[in-house]
Amino acid sequence: MQRFRPYFHYLRPLRGQLILALFCLCIYSAASGFGLPTMLQIVFKPIFEAEARNLTVMEIAGLAMIIPAVFFLRGISGYFSSYLFQFIGTRVLEGIRLDYFRKLQVLPLAELQKHAAGDFTSRVINDAQQVQTVITALANDGIKHPLTLVAAVGFVIYAAFHSNVGIAVLCLAIVPLCVFPIRFVARKVLRRAHQAQAQIGSLSSQVTENLAAVREVRAFGLEERSTQRFHATSRELFAAQLKIVKYAQALNPIIEVISAGGIALTLIFAYESGVTLTDLTAVLLALYMCYDPVKKLGYLNTDLKRGAAALDRLEPVLHAPVAIADPATPVPITRLRGDIAFDHVTFAYNGGEPALRDASITIPAGTVCALVGPSGAGKTTFANLVPRFYEVGAGRVTVDGHDVRALRLADLRRNIAIVSQDPVLFNDTIYNNLLLGRPDATREEVVAAAVDAHADEFIRSFSDGYDSTVGERGALLSGGQKQRLALARAFLRNAPILILDEATSALDSQSEQMIQEALKKLVVGKTVLIIAHRFSTIRDATMILVFDRGEIVASGAHAELYAGNELYKSLYDQQNVGATIGNGL
Ligand SMILES: Nc1ncnc2c1ncn2[C@@H]1O[C@H](COP(=O)(O)OP(=O)(O)OP(=O)(O)O)[C@@H](O)[C@H]1O
């Protein structure tokens, strides 16, 4: 229960519904715990005992109508309280999911990369759903059953004063015995619930991963292997879920046997002390009304444990500190010039070996700077520190002399356009995908950007033109088309800093030529960081940084580096030979 307290604030805007639901619940509980046994006494006593002979048929009918009246009251109040609690629970779920998703948007990339995307999906869908189930159950059953129990105990005490105190003591003495199995089962369920939720996350990430890499799976013939892996995880999930069912379902018979024992003892005691059948029936019904809530509370307790397990999976994200956030008093900027400087910057992913070590370099505005070096040397890491995707461990990164940590993230990133190796397009129209570059752009500006990126022609060749949809991650487009759309987006953004991660995969020569022409136009007047893979790009750069094992080992223009740096010379020669072979020369 304590575990869920921090989430009660989601109930604050739902106060009106909550009060109404509680009101209905009180009526339901009173009608169940006290109303039903009282009804039996009021109706049965005059009919089956001595006075019956003095009653007319109409009077008996009037008495009999009390039964549907009580059930009606109980039914309608029960219906409205359940409906309202479901309403409240669903709203709470919406709130938790929204907060979770919002947090995903600001969580440091390093944090996001710790888990598979599918696992995050599973947490925001399944675990949040589990928490909703518990909060609804907690609000509904957590109040309804204790109230019913209090009303039923009230009736037993009331009956005791009218007939036999011993019966009341007997009835009530057995109820606490039920607590032991409830606690035992809850402990067992918590452990299994943790396992089950984690396995649901794993299943979800396997599906996401499989679909994202569908071509690789088919090309490498991994279908059977993936299916077997999925099957194995499903089996583990099956086992964990079955264990939960095994323990949770045992609760019902255990509590029934205990209550049956209570009923048997009550019967013996009633026989000994000469209690009438009507009184006994009412007490037995009240007794049932005591045990039933205890049983339901037992189930609620197992639900609470499942909910606690789900919270354990949601909270690492919900409570994760937002390490990369806006400063308290950001330096106001509009458009940057584009001077970039790294001042003794060291950075390591998740506390591991530094991926960038003591990097110091100044890149003046308007420089086209190629980043070269062997794979894993730190080029991407270097580029990612400029838009502050990661936080430097030591040193500082500045733009126009401002530490990037002193700027509002939105201001900084508005001044940077990024074109990645495999540009991501959303499953939307081409027009809307381009508009992401600058959401306030006019249609003319969008079209002009597409023309600059040599994309307009192929866009217009589609039957729906700019309103054609591109499929998930742009699946309906070719690699060259996706790249040109990404360039069009960068044209539209017209940011002073441009980060280009050059595609390694070769495109057909026509696409390649169009992209090169577009790029030539795009880089004019901008500070450009190109993670370069082609010798032509490297040669055209005004400045080249050579990376090796996380360090910038040399910088300068092509001719001086080629003459003076062994690593650069060998990298350049390799590229050159590769390109020459690639071109069939
Ligand atoms: N998200 C990450 N989490 C942990 N380590 C990472 C992450 N990204 C990169 N690394 C590690 O940091 C080092 C530098 O990687 P980086 O991607 O910057 O190299 P790169 O020079 O761009 O390589 P490539 O040319 O192959 O893309 C590598 O050792 C890599 O394994």
Side-chain angles (χ1 to χ4, degrees):
M1 182 80 166
Q2 286 292 0
R3 189 80 182 74
F4 292 88
R5 182 153 295 171
Y7 297 88
F8 285 3
H9 71 89
Y10 287 106
L11 296 172
R12 222 167 284 147
L14 301 163
R15 242 174 277 140
Q17 288 90 337
L18 195 63
I19 291 169
L20 200 60
L22 287 174
F23 175 70
C24 292
L25 206 60
C26 289
I27 298 179
Y28 174 87
S29 305
S32 305
F34 204 89
L36 290 182
T38 313
M39 171 197 81
L40 279 190
Q41 277 194 328
I42 293 173
V43 178
F44 285 17
K45 223 179 184 124
I47 295 179
F48 291 106
E49 291 179 12
E51 305 100 278
R53 271 164 260 123
N54 307 326
L55 296 175
T56 65
V57 175
M58 284 310 283
E59 281 170 326
I60 291 195
L63 279 173
M65 287 312 288
I66 293 176
I67 298 175
V70 171
F71 274 97
F72 177 77
L73 188 67
R74 184 175 178 266
I76 199 127
S77 53
Y79 171 81
F80 278 111
S81 68
S82 297
Y83 175 82
L84 285 167
F85 279 123
Q86 277 297 336
F87 176 93
I88 292 165
T90 312
R91 271 293 173 77
V92 170
L93 171 67
E94 188 186 82
I96 293 178
R97 279 207 181 123
L98 198 64
D99 283 352
Y100 191 91
F101 193 78
R102 200 172 273 141
K103 199 61 183 279
L104 286 183
Q105 308 309 303
V106 293
L107 217 58
L109 294 193
E111 203 59 41
L112 286 175
Q113 283 154 350
K114 280 186 195 163
H115 300 282
D119 191 45
F120 280 116
T121 316
S122 165
R123 286 169 201 237
V124 75
I125 305 294
N126 301 321
D127 292 281
Q129 180 71 55
Q130 187 71 51
V131 172
Q132 183 234 336
T133 309
V134 173
I135 289 189
T136 310
L138 193 65
N140 194 0
D141 298 350
I143 300 169
K144 180 160 79 184
H145 298 308
L147 279 182
T148 308
L149 183 64
V150 167
V153 168
F155 179 83
V156 174
I157 293 169
Y158 158 84
F161 278 109
H162 283 80
S163 53
N164 195 312
V165 178
I167 283 192
V169 175
L170 244 178
C171 290
L172 301 181
I174 303 214
V175 175
L177 282 183
C178 303
V179 172
F180 299 106
I182 289 173
R183 290 176 67 100
F184 172 75
V185 165
R187 260 201 318 274
K188 294 283 181 192
V189 165
L190 178 62
R191 205 156 63 88
R192 304 296 170 184
H194 268 294
Q195 285 174 359
Q197 300 291 105
Q199 265 135 12
I200 291 174
S202 166
L203 275 188
S204 168
S205 66
Q206 284 180 36
V207 175
T208 321
E209 207 173 62
N210 184 278
L211 292 177
V214 68
R215 269 183 306 185
E216 284 76 1
V217 170
R218 308 264 163 108
F220 289 110
L222 300 176
E223 299 90 335
E224 192 48 42
R225 189 174 163 275
S226 305
T227 311
Q228 275 173 8
R229 213 175 123 219
F230 188 82
H231 191 196
T233 314
S234 304
R235 267 297 152 87
E236 285 168 25
L237 173 63
F238 169 81
Q241 282 178 326
L242 218 65
K243 284 264 165 57
I244 294 176
V245 171
K246 189 175 95 181
Y247 288 114
Q249 294 305 317
L251 207 54
N252 195 19
I254 292 173
I255 294 180
E256 274 183 2
V257 169
I258 293 175
S259 35
I263 290 171
L265 285 176
T266 310
L267 267 181
I268 299 166
F269 199 83
Y271 174 76
E272 287 288 317
S273 50
V275 176
T276 67
L277 179 64
T278 313
D279 279 342
L280 182 67
T281 315
V283 170
L284 286 182
L285 183 60
L287 190 58
Y288 172 76
M289 286 296 166
C290 287
Y291 286 121
D292 194 51
V294 170
K295 194 165 72 188
K296 302 265 172 61
L297 285 173
Y299 280 130
L300 179 63
N301 202 27
T302 60
D303 275 349
L304 276 179
K305 297 300 172 192
R306 282 194 226 191
L311 273 186
D312 288 342
R313 282 168 53 77
L314 285 172
E315 284 177 346
V317 168
L318 283 175
H319 297 169
V322 182
I324 299 181
D326 286 335
T329 46
V331 176
I333 52 161
T334 46
R335 190 175 169 84
L336 291 168
R337 271 190 324 277
D339 290 308
I340 299 174
F342 276 58
D343 181 12
H344 297 287
V345 172
T346 296
F347 169 79
Y349 290 97
N350 302 318
E353 271 290 293
L356 201 62
R357 206 174 281 124
D358 198 25
S360 288
I361 194 81
T362 301
I363 305 167
T367 308
V368 176
C369 177
L371 315 181
V372 300
S375 181
K379 307 179 291 287
T380 312
T381 307
F382 179 88
N384 278 340
L385 292 177
V386 180
R388 208 180 154 204
F389 287 155
Y390 299 95
E391 204 78 298
V392 295
R396 58 188 209 133
V397 177
T398 63
V399 286
D400 290 6
H402 307 297
D403 190 322
V404 290
R405 289 168 293 194
L407 305 176
R408 271 187 61 216
L409 284 167
D411 291 344
L412 170 68
R413 292 176 185 169
R414 198 179 317 114
N415 279 283
I416 301 173
I418 298 176
V419 180
S420 60
Q421 271 191 21
D422 183 19
V424 172
L425 299 170
F426 294 94
N427 193 5
D428 200 343
T429 61
I430 290 179
Y431 183 79
N432 285 339
N433 266 293
L434 294 183
L435 209 56
L436 294 176
R438 185 154 55 85
D440 60 350
T442 63
R443 188 146 188 123
E444 288 70 36
E445 288 171 323
V446 172
V447 174
V451 170
D452 285 339
H454 294 279
D456 181 67
E457 200 180 319
F458 85 78
I459 297 172
R460 286 187 196 278
S461 73
F462 296 149
S463 57
D464 290 328
Y466 280 81
D467 297 321
S468 317
T469 46
V470 299
E472 198 166 339
R473 294 179 71 90
L476 305 180
L477 300 174
S478 74
Q481 289 170 336
K482 277 197 277 186
Q483 294 231 326
R484 278 180 276 163
L485 290 186
L487 288 180
R489 223 154 44 180
F491 269 109
L492 199 58
R493 196 166 185 86
N494 191 27
I497 298 173
L498 181 63
I499 297 176
L500 290 170
D501 195 353
E502 206 171 45
T504 40
S505 53
L507 298 168
D508 64 88
S509 53
Q510 202 194 354
S511 259
E512 184 69 56
Q513 196 190 340
M514 281 196 272
I515 287 169
Q516 290 306 326
E517 279 172 25
L519 270 175
K520 271 206 179 91
K521 189 166 180 186
L522 180 62
V523 301
V524 174
K526 302 193 171 83
T527 313
V528 187
L529 299 180
I530 309 182
I531 300 166
H533 299 289
R534 293 186 220 301
F535 81 99
S536 54
T537 319
I538 301 171
R539 213 176 34 201
D540 290 345
T542 45
M543 179 181 190
I544 298 161
L545 302 185
V546 185
F547 287 78
D548 189 22
R549 277 169 276 175
E551 287 180 43
I552 301 175
V553 290
S555 65
H558 167 69
E560 60 177 290
L561 286 176
Y562 193 78
N565 186 281
E566 264 311 302
L567 175 63
Y568 179 75
K569 185 173 183 303
S570 73
L571 283 169
Y572 185 83
D573 287 343
Q574 270 170 30
Q575 295 260 358
N576 213 348
V577 171
T580 311
I581 294 168
N583 290 336
L585 295 170

